[in-house]
Amino acid sequence: MKKAALVAAALTAAPIALLPALAAAQPGNSRPQPVVEPYVIPLPADEPYPGLMQLRVDASDVARGIFRVRQTIPVAKAGKLTLLYPEWLPGKHAPRGAISGVSGFKPSANGKPLSWTRQPTDVYAFDVDVPEGVKNIDVQFEFLSPVRESEGRIVVAPAMMNLQWEQVSFYPAGYFTRNIPVQLEVTLPQGWTGAAALDGLKVSGNRYSYAPTNYEVLIDSPMFAGAHFQKWDLGQNVTLNVVADEPQYLAASPDHIARHAALVSEAVALFGVRHFDRYEFLLALTEEMGGIGLEHHRSSENSRKPDYFTKWDEHGADRGLLPHELVHSWNGKYRRPAKLWTPDYRTPMQDNLLWVYEGQTSFWDLVLGARSGMQSKELVLGELASNAAFYSIQPGRAWRSVEDTTLDPIIAARKPRPFASATRTEDYYNEGALMWLEADMLIRRATNNKKSLDDFARSFFGGKEGDWGQVGYEFDDVVAALNAVHAYDWASFMSERMQDAGRPAPVGGIEGAGYRLVWRDKPNVSDREKMASAKNANLVHSLGLVIDKNGVAGSILWDGPAFRADIVNGTKILAVDGMSYSRERIEAAIKAAADGKTPIKLLVERDGRYREVAIPYHGGLRWPHLEKVGSGPDWFDRLLAPRRKL
């Protein structure tokens, strides 16, 4: 045996040899062994469920935000029936089931209570004892939705609600959810109108009843309901359904609706087919209900500020959400990573290809936003500049790849972090989009604009008209589809950019389009709109922080000027150069400090302690922009040109 092998063998054996010594060092101490849990949950099988579940939801208690639920569940035999509450939720890419909101769980059969036990190793699983001769069990419970933001997302507001069926239902373990039939009946507040992508609607007063469907489709078909409701036909079997806090916010102009219709036409022109028989945009214009941006196969589930229509010119950046969710009907719902599709809502999802699912969707939402007129070219370029600029200074990319950030929904659940630039967050969205921009420009330039990522989208996400099933894919499938458009080493291209840490700034697509990233002392359109909407000051590229409307610092850049001055999230800036804080004053101070001599003097407070800070930053105000290089063609114009028939 060689010396190296002897050393390795000795190191391997060392821990085993130490065990007696470790035991002797703890004489008399108890030494337990693990207990093998007897609890078993049936694995999902692709078999039909024996019967039709009935789900009745009373959603009329607006004042308290309480949903009262009655379920009738057929059973095939006596014994233990395991009911599961949905845990791993599509679109959320993580175990986000709202199990803590369940109250008053009471199963019964023929009017008699049944005993039940929650499984301690899986708190989403409830074992119900079913007696002999019982054909159906009844389950009643309440879902207590949050009434304050500190308790979670508010889904019931005075004039609207968001009904998510995974919050108000259980399903039997042991079956693919697509094989469990269910029929829904929901009671809304008097005078309210509801919209959902469910079929066979019958309305009786404030009671909405739907035709039987399967549990998978039910969970993928949420409802928005409200006292102030309006809908518009956008063509292509697509409807825009809007609820608002107050009726005046429903005042959309014909031009606004025409641009939404153009969005639909551009999406169909891009992908070539529709993977839905009908599609319902569900849009809430609200400051009272919690925000949401979630995709579904035949609907969206989105919210924007109340003045989405009434202050149209101020909200260009906000109009990227509906394009994003519409694209997901093709990318994310019809085609999805094979390991993101699961047969039930207990099986864990694997998120590692979210840079295709979300990253390419983020690319297309910008493209379709511009092609449809929902957003301007200037705004799209500003968004790309802001994203590329942040990644050019992001410290966390030195140790963490983009693909590793696809696990962030599970790791962090979008909770606030002290130094997010060091840990990274869900960068597979925006850095993924920048990679797909580079892929598009590479194909366009190599083929003299004869081919592009449009061709990939049509072939990869296309297929059979009206097919709203699911088709999985792996990394190699993406590589093969790209090579069918244009032969290239796509495997290395994507793995280097998505799977390697320590990558340079992702500006290849910007440069391929004939532009470069530059810095100016005025914000680009995207940053300007976002700051105006949030009433904050984004100074990440100068002082290394964002200051909110109350003067509170956040988004501290790791090792930036504010970081080095010991300013952390939550620090309040009270004064600038001896005067009370305002955005205008701090920007003026940054300008003055550009002389190379004058520090930026702040009075700050944190947890009741005050101190003066002098920040030696002299780089002036800096916001990112894209600047055209040379006199060659503008490849962005080619990318963003409309495809629909005008």
Side-chain angles (χ1 to χ4, degrees):
M1 187 179 288
K2 294 182 179 180
K3 182 178 179 181
L6 287 169
V7 171
L11 289 172
T12 302
I16 298 173
L18 285 172
L19 285 175
L22 289 172
Q26 301 173 0
N29 285 357
S30 300
R31 297 171 63 80
Q33 293 295 317
V35 176
V36 178
E37 292 287 351
Y39 302 100
V40 176
I41 297 175
L43 293 176
D46 194 6
E47 299 174 356
Y49 187 73
L52 174 67
M53 286 201 309
Q54 299 285 342
L55 174 62
R56 297 177 293 279
V57 181
D58 183 347
S60 60
D61 191 346
V62 173
R64 290 167 291 206
I66 298 172
F67 299 118
R68 293 176 172 83
V69 182
R70 302 291 184 271
Q71 266 187 276
T72 300
I73 303 172
V75 294
K77 60 182 180 180
K80 183 181 74 172
L81 172 67
T82 300
L83 297 178
L84 298 175
Y85 190 79
E87 178 182 8
W88 285 82
L89 302 175
K92 297 185 179 180
H93 316 312
R96 303 278 181 86
I99 188 70
S100 63
V102 172
S103 176
F105 180 84
K106 297 175 183 177
S108 64
N110 300 321
K112 296 180 180 179
L114 300 179
S115 61
W116 65 275
T117 305
R118 192 195 303 255
Q119 293 201 12
T121 55
D122 188 338
V123 298
Y124 290 79
F126 291 57
D127 292 332
V128 179
D129 295 324
V130 179
E132 291 287 349
V134 168
K135 301 299 182 183
N136 298 282
I137 70 166
D138 297 310
V139 174
Q140 69 178 57
F141 67 94
E142 292 80 45
F143 181 76
L144 313 181
S145 73
V147 296
R148 297 178 297 175
E149 289 184 0
S150 61
E151 298 166 349
R153 176 176 170 257
I154 294 172
V155 298
V156 180
M160 68 176 66
M161 66 175 59
N162 180 189
L163 283 150
Q164 299 175 311
W165 312 119
E166 70 269 15
Q167 294 183 338
V168 292
S169 63
F170 286 79
Y171 66 98
Y175 298 85
F176 283 22
T177 54
R178 70 186 180 203
N179 293 336
I180 302 174
V182 59
Q183 188 166 24
L184 170 69
E185 177 183 285
V186 57
T187 301
L188 297 177
Q190 289 288 348
W192 285 28
T193 303
L198 291 168
D199 297 327
L201 172 63
K202 294 181 179 179
V203 180
S204 177
N206 61 334
R207 184 172 298 168
Y208 280 49
S209 301
Y210 294 91
T213 185
N214 67 64
Y215 193 70
E216 181 182 74
V217 169
L218 176 72
I219 298 305
D220 196 41
S221 306
M223 173 184 277
F224 275 3
H228 314 299
F229 173 88
Q230 183 70 47
K231 68 178 181 180
W232 292 267
D233 181 2
L234 301 181
Q236 308 276 3
N237 290 339
V238 178
T239 303
L240 175 62
N241 304 272
V242 185
V243 292
D245 287 339
E246 300 178 62
Q248 65 265 29
Y249 295 123
L250 297 171
S253 74
D255 178 64
H256 300 157
I257 302 307
R259 296 189 192 211
H260 287 80
L263 166 63
V264 175
S265 296
E266 287 293 344
V268 175
L270 171 63
F271 296 112
V273 298
R274 295 167 295 179
H275 290 304
F276 48 80
D277 54 353
R278 72 184 228 251
Y279 187 92
E280 308 286 346
F281 278 116
L282 303 182
L283 178 62
L285 304 183
T286 181
E287 289 182 332
E288 298 178 329
M289 191 170 75
I292 190 168
L294 197 58
E295 66 271 15
H296 301 283
H297 212 140
R298 299 196 300 161
S299 77
S300 71
E301 188 179 7
N302 306 133
S303 63
R304 297 283 78 176
K305 289 189 173 182
D307 54 7
Y308 176 83
F309 290 126
T310 56
K311 293 186 178 179
W312 179 266
D313 292 339
E314 298 178 15
H315 294 302
D318 288 342
R319 292 197 291 276
L321 181 59
L322 266 59
H324 187 94
E325 307 305 357
L326 179 61
V327 168
H328 270 319
S329 183
W330 290 267
N331 179 10
K333 287 301 179 180
Y334 174 66
R335 293 302 304 266
R336 70 181 72 178
K339 295 170 186 174
L340 259 181
W341 179 86
T342 57
D344 66 0
Y345 304 117
R346 180 175 182 265
T347 304
M349 300 172 182
Q350 297 183 44
D351 292 350
N352 60 299
L353 286 177
L354 282 177
W355 49 267
V356 183
Y357 179 129
E358 296 287 7
Q360 194 171 136
T361 298
S362 295
F363 168 77
W364 288 122
D365 75 45
L366 292 171
V367 173
L368 296 186
R371 289 180 182 177
S372 64
M374 291 279 283
Q375 296 179 307
S376 67
K377 174 188 174 183
E378 186 182 14
L379 188 142
V380 169
L381 266 57
E383 180 79 8
L384 292 169
S386 298
N387 293 336
F390 176 70
Y391 295 130
S392 74
I393 61 170
Q394 183 191 47
R397 62 192 303 104
W399 71 274
R400 193 177 185 192
S401 70
V402 174
E403 184 161 296
D404 193 65
T405 72
T406 65
L407 303 178
D408 228 54
I410 303 168
I411 295 168
R414 295 189 174 177
K415 294 178 182 176
R417 290 171 166 176
F419 302 104
S421 63
T423 58
R424 305 197 76 172
T425 55
E426 297 177 14
D427 291 334
Y428 53 87
Y429 281 91
N430 293 331
E431 189 161 352
L434 288 164
M435 184 203 72
W436 290 112
L437 172 65
E438 185 178 0
D440 178 81
M441 291 300 160
L442 189 157
I443 296 169
R444 286 180 188 277
R445 295 182 77 108
T447 65
N448 195 27
N449 206 44
K450 293 179 181 178
K451 293 185 178 180
S452 68
L453 207 62
D454 289 58
D455 298 281
F456 169 84
R458 179 176 285 257
S459 65
F460 194 70
F461 301 115
K464 185 173 65 176
E465 173 72 21
D467 180 1
W468 46 290
Q470 303 96 21
V471 179
Y473 62 83
E474 301 280 6
F475 179 88
D476 289 345
D477 298 315
V478 182
V479 172
L482 284 166
N483 274 318
V485 174
H486 173 67
Y488 190 73
D489 186 1
W490 292 109
S492 296
F493 176 90
M494 292 187 292
S495 63
E496 288 169 2
R497 287 159 179 76
M498 296 291 100
Q499 297 170 354
D500 291 351
R503 294 284 304 172
V507 295
I510 291 168
E511 293 172 350
Y515 283 72
R516 65 185 174 191
L517 184 65
V518 298
W519 305 92
R520 296 174 183 157
D521 62 2
K522 302 290 184 184
N524 63 58
V525 172
S526 177
D527 283 341
R528 185 176 71 237
E529 278 197 10
K530 289 177 180 178
M531 285 191 288
S533 178
K535 297 181 174 61
N536 65 13
N538 184 344
L539 304 172
V540 167
H541 296 289
S542 50
L543 291 185
L545 82 172
V546 175
I547 306 172
D548 75 10
K549 61 183 179 181
N550 298 314
V552 177
S555 300
I556 306 299
L557 178 67
W558 181 267
D559 203 30
F563 177 97
R564 293 193 292 272
D566 296 334
I567 294 174
V568 298
N569 291 344
T571 301
K572 186 166 187 177
I573 300 173
L574 300 173
V576 181
D577 290 334
M579 300 289 287
S580 62
Y581 168 80
S582 69
R583 175 181 165 183
E584 293 74 19
R585 283 187 178 130
I586 199 159
E587 289 184 3
I590 293 170
K591 286 181 181 179
D595 64 5
K597 302 175 183 178
T598 308
I600 300 166
K601 297 178 181 179
L602 306 176
L603 173 65
V604 303
E605 178 267 332
R606 181 187 175 203
D607 296 333
R609 296 179 180 269
Y610 297 77
R611 63 189 180 95
E612 294 181 345
V613 177
I615 301 178
Y617 169 76
H618 305 292
L621 290 168
R622 299 176 82 242
W623 283 282
H625 291 257
L626 297 189
E627 180 178 83
K628 181 74 170 62
V629 178
S631 57
D634 187 327
W635 291 85
F636 275 126
D637 283 345
R638 299 179 179 188
L639 169 64
L640 303 179
R643 299 294 189 269
R644 69 190 187 277
K645 293 181 180 180
L646 298 174

